[in-house]
Amino acid sequence: MNMTTCIIGIDCATDPKRVGLARGRVTADGLVVDRLGKVAKGEPVADRVVDWIADEPRVLLAMDAPLGWPAALGDALAVHNAGDFLPAEPNLLFRRETDRFTHRQIGKLPLDVGADRIARTAHAALTLLHEISERRQCAVPLAWAPEFPGPLAAIEVYPAAVLKTSGMVFQGYKGASQTAQRVGIAALLRRRMTFATDTVILLSDDDVLDAAVCVLAGYHFLQGLCIPPTDSDLARREGWIWFRGG
């Protein structure tokens, strides 16, 4: 693991005001998170991210959003005409293998990117990657191993899976009435990373809390703790959710 890697956790959303951001750095002592927040009104998310990574030689973006679509859906639609029968079973057509795998591992199913509004979040995430690439004048490929080539790469993560496999509450912590749950999660996060910034926002804003969890997911990836896909060719078509073994 490269000890100079910066990790940007991004809780993606279609509305920039709902995008949570966190920045961490891998040091000899572990993981240090020194930035938490959201963009100002009218500020592009890509501008904030590029500002945060301006002087970083190596950056991993850990993004909470699907970064691909089911291969079966793409294959079926490529030859489909309106009114034609779709023979594929819906759970195979609209869900990726990584979604099914995650469900088996943690007991919670990610939203179907092929049949749910999460597809718009996926589109927004891919647009954000493109914008970051243009501003940095550097490609942002997906990383498939901790020692990824190039100065910048991205992975797909899922906060619920990170929380569950880290022994934390992984559902029921969102919304104004769930402050107590977020307090508990924040306390456990402080045992797994060092915060060099005010953490009050973690208690009031679940988007930013999720972004901090995304940073932890990126750290697990860089440590080589995450479960890789068994079918790498399929994963490269559909994407893969990276989280550690439970």
Side-chain angles (χ1 to χ4, degrees):
M1 179 176 61
N2 190 313
M3 300 304 289
T4 63
T5 304
C6 170
I7 306 169
I8 303 294
I10 307 175
D11 182 47
C12 300
T14 56
D15 183 351
K17 297 192 299 292
R18 295 295 311 277
V19 175
L21 296 169
R23 183 178 75 178
R25 288 193 181 91
V26 180
T27 73
D29 297 323
L31 179 61
V32 178
V33 173
D34 63 356
R35 294 286 188 276
L36 296 167
K38 288 183 167 180
V39 297
K41 184 177 181 180
E43 178 188 6
V45 175
D47 285 359
R48 176 68 66 88
V49 173
V50 169
D51 177 63
W52 279 7
I53 65 176
D55 299 320
E56 303 292 341
R58 188 168 188 264
V59 178
L60 178 68
L61 307 176
M63 307 180 71
D64 175 19
L67 299 179
W69 272 260
L73 180 63
D75 293 340
L77 294 183
V79 295
H80 184 263
N81 292 309
D84 286 353
F85 170 61
L86 281 172
E89 197 269 325
N91 286 341
L92 296 178
L93 197 64
F94 299 126
R95 292 174 186 164
R96 303 172 298 164
E97 174 55 28
T98 190
D99 302 320
R100 294 187 288 270
F101 176 80
T102 300
H103 188 206
R104 292 194 296 271
Q105 292 294 309
I106 72 167
K108 183 176 181 180
L109 182 68
L111 296 174
D112 293 349
V113 67
D116 198 280
R117 287 178 295 176
I118 192 66
R120 293 183 179 272
T121 302
H123 185 275
L126 294 173
T127 299
L128 176 59
L129 281 178
H130 175 70
E131 292 171 349
I132 293 170
S133 174
E134 286 195 325
R135 286 161 171 74
R136 284 283 297 230
Q137 297 185 331
C138 174
V140 189
L142 296 187
W144 297 99
E147 294 300 331
F148 56 86
L152 190 58
I155 59 171
E156 178 181 340
V157 301
Y158 183 41
V162 183
L163 292 169
K164 174 66 182 296
T165 57
S166 297
M168 292 183 259
V169 172
F170 69 102
Q171 53 191 352
Y173 64 91
K174 299 190 176 185
S177 64
Q178 301 301 323
T179 302
Q181 294 280 48
R182 292 192 292 275
V183 168
I185 293 172
L188 290 172
L189 286 178
R190 292 188 192 97
R191 296 168 57 181
R192 290 163 173 82
M193 60 183 75
T194 299
F195 286 96
T197 186
D198 194 337
T199 59
V200 172
I201 194 172
L202 298 179
L203 312 183
S204 61
D205 194 310
D206 52 69
D207 301 324
V208 178
L209 179 63
D210 276 349
V213 175
C214 290
V215 172
L216 181 60
Y219 183 61
H220 290 162
F221 175 81
L222 292 173
Q223 288 185 308
L225 299 175
C226 293
I227 307 170
T230 56
D231 187 337
S232 59
D233 290 337
L234 180 62
R236 287 174 185 272
R237 285 191 66 188
E238 296 189 330
W240 186 254
I241 298 169
W242 293 94
F243 59 94
R244 67 186 298 171

